[in-house]
Amino acid sequence: MADAIGLLRPRTVIGPNLRAAGEWALRFDTFLHVRIGGLVRGTCWLILEGHEPVLLREGDTFMLGNPPPYVLASTLDASPRPAEPVWASAEDGFVRIGPESEEDLYLCVGHIAFDDSNAALLTDLLPPLVIVRVGDPHGGRLAQLIDLLATEVGVSAAGGPLVQNHLAQILLVHMLRAHAGQTDRPTGWLGALNEDGIGAALRAVHADVAHSWSLKELAEISHMSRSAFAQAFKSHVGVPPLEYLIQWRMSLARDALTRDTMSISELAQATGYQSESAFSTAFRRVVGSSPAQFRNQARQPPRSAANGSTTTSDADTRHERDRSTSGAAVGVGGA
């Protein structure tokens, strides 16, 4: 799992966190990628379009994947107001609603953004909402992580943003594990990693992407016949094994081209192709442009919005860039 998440170049922003008292409700616009949060103290309602309202209790954690608009509220009857101006009023990492002396809710939240070229590796696998209760198998560990995050936001200590960044990414990994354990539906590579045979093949591919893998080799690693392996792999991951291998290689290639770390001929070798032309053909088939075109486009500075307006997602992204610790990522090397 770590190698896939590392490829996404996660960037995190923790907070502002919410301390509230009395009746309140905040409406959040849709946004990209992942938002995570948990209740350090109190209870509140999470109301997501298309879902039944969920009552969150102390110690519960949640993850939102590319969600539609949603509301956080003290009661279902409270009338929601836009969250953006309230969030903009944050001081010292906190948004406060109601008298400080009467606060009965403490909500810790964070936003995790990914490199756009590979974000679909994860976000396409996630439902809009994952809830982990404090009493669930992973719930206690997640509650501890939320508590640690809340503590880091509440103090101004050296290295605070770095600690927050890594804690948030550890929280993400545990949320993904919890999600994979909650569902029996195919969940791509995320769910397949929990399968002994298929997971072993995935880990082998991720560990040595330059190897000329064959269906026979991968089936042997999984201790299955070729036909049984191919069927099981497609059932769990959603694509045939060798197609997954190509997609994974192209994801690595997009990342390397975006960061401009290798020549195209070096990249061809590193991703298992014996010639630059064979690599370029595969890249164009999957990505829709040549490697050189993709790299040149990645070198172009991002264009500003045509009318200068800023959406909630734009504000979140700018905010996290200001506060992130130079895009630190979970280490690559193991699934």
Side-chain angles (χ1 to χ4, degrees):
M1 184 183 292
D3 48 0
I5 294 175
L7 180 62
L8 301 178
R9 308 290 166 197
R11 304 177 303 278
T12 66
V13 177
I14 300 303
N17 293 334
L18 175 63
R19 294 181 181 270
E23 185 174 284
W24 57 273
L26 298 174
R27 182 179 64 254
F28 296 82
D29 293 330
T30 186
F31 61 91
L32 294 177
H33 303 165
V34 170
R35 185 155 288 172
I36 54 176
L39 273 176
V40 181
R41 183 173 66 253
T43 63
C44 75
W45 287 92
L46 173 57
I47 307 163
L48 187 69
E49 285 187 10
H51 292 73
E52 291 294 321
V54 176
L55 179 62
L56 298 172
R57 299 179 177 85
E58 186 172 314
D60 291 347
T61 50
F62 64 88
M63 178 171 63
L64 304 170
N66 281 341
Y70 68 97
V71 170
L72 292 172
S74 59
T75 67
L76 292 176
D77 297 330
S79 179
R81 53 176 164 157
E84 187 173 359
V86 179
W87 242 234
S89 70
E91 294 183 5
D92 299 324
F94 292 100
V95 168
R96 285 186 163 87
I97 300 176
E100 185 173 348
S101 61
E102 299 176 15
E103 288 173 352
D104 55 10
L105 174 127
Y106 183 4
L107 177 71
C108 182
V109 292
H111 175 218
I112 302 179
F114 303 115
D115 178 68
D116 284 334
S117 62
N118 287 313
L121 275 174
L122 178 61
T123 56
D124 282 358
L125 305 179
L126 296 179
L129 175 63
V130 176
I131 301 290
V132 181
R133 301 293 186 183
V134 67
D136 291 348
H138 291 271
R141 188 176 297 111
L142 290 167
Q144 290 176 337
L145 287 169
I146 287 290
D147 194 59
L148 284 171
L149 274 172
T151 300
E152 285 295 323
V153 172
V155 297
S156 298
L162 179 64
V163 173
Q164 292 174 27
N165 192 299
H166 286 291
L167 282 174
Q169 292 174 25
I170 293 168
L171 180 62
L172 172 63
V173 171
H174 283 290
M175 289 293 294
L176 293 175
R177 288 176 179 174
H179 166 58
Q182 285 177 351
T183 178
D184 57 1
R185 295 172 300 172
T187 54
W189 59 266
L190 180 60
L193 287 171
N194 287 343
E195 299 293 322
D196 291 340
I198 304 301
L202 278 173
R203 288 188 288 271
V205 165
H206 289 188
D208 190 1
V209 72
H211 183 72
S212 298
W213 293 105
S214 67
L215 182 62
K216 180 176 182 291
E217 282 181 296
L218 294 173
E220 287 174 349
I221 290 172
S222 299
H223 303 290
M224 298 182 186
S225 68
R226 279 181 289 183
S227 59
F229 169 72
Q231 183 177 358
F233 191 99
K234 185 173 182 179
S235 174
H236 284 89
V237 181
V239 295
L242 298 185
E243 181 63 25
Y244 176 85
L245 173 61
I246 292 171
Q247 291 180 5
W248 178 248
R249 284 171 168 169
M250 294 305 109
S251 293
L252 293 171
R254 284 195 297 264
D255 179 63
L257 290 167
T258 299
R259 294 185 294 124
D260 210 2
T261 56
M262 297 183 186
S263 69
I264 293 175
S265 60
E266 289 171 335
L267 187 53
Q269 271 195 321
T271 52
Y273 291 88
Q274 295 185 355
S275 70
E276 185 176 327
S277 62
F279 166 71
S280 297
T281 298
F283 190 92
R284 183 183 292 274
R285 179 174 73 82
V286 174
V287 180
S289 65
S290 72
Q293 289 170 332
F294 185 92
R295 183 177 57 191
N296 290 338
Q297 186 176 12
R299 287 171 173 170
Q300 300 298 318
R303 291 179 295 178
S304 59
N307 60 4
S309 63
T310 302
T311 64
T312 301
S313 296
D314 294 333
D316 282 344
T317 301
R318 186 171 64 249
H319 187 197
E320 60 86 9
R321 282 175 180 162
D322 290 342
R323 295 188 52 191
S324 67
T325 56
S326 67
V330 177
V332 176

